[in-house]
Structure formats: structure tokens, C-alpha cells
Amino acid sequence: MSENNIISPENLVYSKTEVMTDRVLHYCPGCGHGTAHRMLAEAIDELGIQGDTIGVAPVGCSVLAYYYFNVDMQEAAHGRAPAVATGIKRVFPEKYVFTYQGDGDLAAIGTAETIHACNRGENILIVFINNGIYGMTGGQMAPTTLPGMKSSTSPRGRDVKTMGNPLKITELIAQLPGTYFVTRQSVHTPGNVRKTKRALKKAMEYQKLNKGTCFVEIVANCPSGWKMTPVQSNKWMEEHMFPFYPLGDIKVPE
Amino acid sequence: MARKGDVVIDIEKCKGCEVCLAACPEEVLALSNEVNSKGYHYTVKVNANCIGCANCAVVCPDAVITVYREKK
Ligand SMILES: Cc1ncc(C[n+]2csc(CCOP(=O)(O)OP(=O)(O)O)c2C)c(N)n1
Ligand code: SF4
Ligand code: SF4
Ligand code: SF4
Ligand SMILES: [Mg+2]
């Protein structure tokens, strides 16, 4: 196909950042976690802070995030990443510290750690991957599961009368005085991926100002848990997740 | 005329998710009939219409695609 000389180093416009390792990701085909990782890695790369960044990995599908980010990483117990990141940031206030957490990790078992770290205004970045489900353990209902959404523990759809309402934890933490920048993005189209990177870059830059917690939610797909093809899941996300979790900035610095 | 581009696809890393196919404005990409060593059908180029926009590489969850574009 390519009888051309376009493929040469001076024409390179896009390749994987060195802030991601060369390991093959263990995620399912089409899963948003991989793209979310890469955007955070590109943000770190473009800011030139690879050597000064420390990440905290969660429990959930992204439990192995420490294999993929080419920066210092620490694993936390389920839901406790913001508490671990608090400790790291307080010992190394000059470092850039982030957590990377799913919705089960951040908004179920780790609700207390999330809210209190944000309320204390810890100078960390929290990256929140909301796929509305416990992906890793077999697609159980999460606090973020939409009304009527099917999961392995709500096979007829979430009935809010008996199963409670979904928790918009991002709107909730935006109310807290400790948060400085709160935004909701996605990584399912080229435009959205680029916007997510800009948000992550901004959030990392704000950490230098010591003004409080930055919180970037990424609404993501879970094709396996949702039982759809990746392309179908991205469409379903647009039609069902975004009306409930609208994309855009929720709290921006004055 | 848009500048010409080209892509290099690391077929062993590809998981055949088709997210890149949906993102390509020039319909350059398709899935192979063959499978890689993991058993996935992988992305291949089916024409020479690439404009080097990098949309495919940007949305690929597995960082499979490297993009080139000729200089003006
Ligand atoms: C203390 C404890 N309770 C429960 C579990 C089981 N568990 C593992 S991951 C997970 C939820 C993961 O969901 P989420 O954080 O949304 O991540 P995803 O896999 O969807 O990315 C649960 C309940 C565990 N590992 N440890
Ligand atoms: S189970 Fe869902 S979240 Fe986990 S890797 Fe697979 S698609 Fe991604
Ligand atoms: S670079 Fe753009 S035109 Fe070329 S294959 Fe990728 S998406 Fe299609
Ligand atoms: S997006 Fe990546 S992994 Fe998915 S089919 Fe395209 S090249 Fe393969
Ligand atoms: Mg989840």
C-alpha cells in the first residue's frame, strides 16, 4: 500500500509517549482505561514532569496501572488512594501526585477518603474513571450505575426505589471549598480525547499553585461489563451516560 | 489537497476493537481476515487515502498506531 517515503522520522506526527511503558495493556478490547492512561501520560510528558510525578493506583481493573505509567507508583488498598496520596504529597510537597481510580473504588468503598481529601483541599490530582459499573469483578452495580441500567446484580435494570439513586460524586465534591478545579470529560472520540488531555495538563499545572484538589472525571465505557462491542458501548455512552453525567467543567478557578 | 499521511500498525498489540475504524475520516482502516498471535483480527490499511490526521492513533486504547505526515 505505501510505496512512499512518508514513513520517516522527520514526518512523525504521533507515537506512544515514553511516559507509558511498552507493556501490553491487560484491558479488554476497546476499554477506555488505556486511552485515559495515555492522556495522563502525555500530559505528564508535555509538562516535562516525569521525574517529579508520583501516582497512586487503585483496586479495580486499573489495579495494574503501575505497570503502565513510567513514573514512580504506589498501590493503595481499595478506595484508599486519596489517603495514600495525601501522605505522599505531604512528605514530598514539591512532587506532582495523582490518584487514578474507578467509580467502585472512588465512589463506593472509598467515598470517605475521596470526600475528606477533597474537603481538606489536598494538593493532588484525582483522576476518576466512571464506567458506571464494577468492571473488574464481573459488572456488578456501582453507586454510579444509571437508573434502569442492567448489571450483573441488577439484571432487570437498577430500580432506584429498592437500589437507591446513582451518586453524582463529582458534583458533590465540587461543592467542597477544598476543590480548585473539577471537570468531566471522556475519551471516546478524537476531539474528546484531546480535551481530556488539556484538562489533565491544566490540573497538573494547578498543583504548583497549592490551591486545592483537582478532580478530573472521565466517563468511560466498559464493553465487557455492559455486554456490548466497543463501538456500540461508545454510542451507548453518548446516548445514556452523558445525559446523566454531562461533560464539561463543573468548577473552574476564578 | 490535504497533505499525505501514513500509519504504522503494531499488529501484535492490536485487539481488533474497531474504535480506530470509527474515527478515521478517510476510511483507510479495516480489520484483517487473519488473526494475530493473541487471536485478534487486527487493523490494516485498505487504501492510500491517509491524511495523517492521527485520529486513529489518538483514540486507540492500546497505542497500536504511529502516524506520519509529509511536510508541506
Ligand atoms: C476490600 C475489598 N472489597 C472488595 C473487593 C472486590 N473488588 C475488586 S475491584 C472492585 C470494584 C472495581 O470497580 P471500579 O472501581 O469501578 O473499577 P473498574 O474495574 O470498573 O475500572 C471490587 C468491589 C476488593 N478487592 N477488596
Ligand atoms: S472489564 Fe470493563 S473496565 Fe475492566 S478492562 Fe474490561 S472493559 Fe475495561
Ligand atoms: S491518520 Fe487519519 S486518515 Fe490516516 S488512517 Fe489514521 S484516522 Fe485515517
Ligand atoms: S483502536 Fe487500536 S486496538 Fe482497536 S482495532 Fe484499532 S488499532 Fe487495534
Ligand atoms: Mg467502574
Side-chain angles (χ1 to χ4, degrees), chain A residues 10-11 13-14 27 38, chain B residues 6 15 58 60 67 69 71:
Chain A
E10 72 273 15
N11 289 336
V13 287
Y14 194 92
Y27 300 114
R38 187 162 39 82
Chain B
D6 206 348
K15 295 176 184 167
V58 164
C60 172
V67 185
R69 186 173 51 202
K71 299 255 180 299

Side-chain angles (χ1 to χ4, degrees), chain A residues 26-28 31-33 61 131 135-136 221-225:
Chain A
H26 71 285
Y27 300 114
C28 306
C31 172
H33 272 302
C61 280
N131 54 18
M136 183 195 207
N221 61 347
C222 172
S224 299

Side-chain angles (χ1 to χ4, degrees), chain A residues 82-99:
Chain A
V84 173
T86 296
I88 293 172
K89 183 71 180 186
R90 289 185 177 208
V91 173
F92 297 114
E94 75 290 357
K95 299 286 182 193
Y96 295 84
V97 178
F98 72 84
T99 72

Side-chain angles (χ1 to χ4, degrees), chain A residues 153-200:
Chain A
T153 48
S154 58
R156 285 177 214 92
R158 181 180 195 152
D159 173 7
V160 296
K161 283 210 193 74
T162 53
M163 301 169 195
N165 294 288
L167 180 61
K168 294 190 185 185
I169 196 157
T170 306
E171 276 81 354
L172 203 141
I173 69 105
Q175 314 274 317
L176 304 175
T179 50
Y180 187 61
F181 173 51
V182 180
T183 187
R184 181 185 285 124
Q185 304 291 336
S186 79
V187 289
H188 70 305
T189 70
N192 289 100
V193 175
R194 292 180 174 112
K195 271 196 200 162
T196 296
K197 179 163 72 178
R198 281 200 289 276
L200 290 166

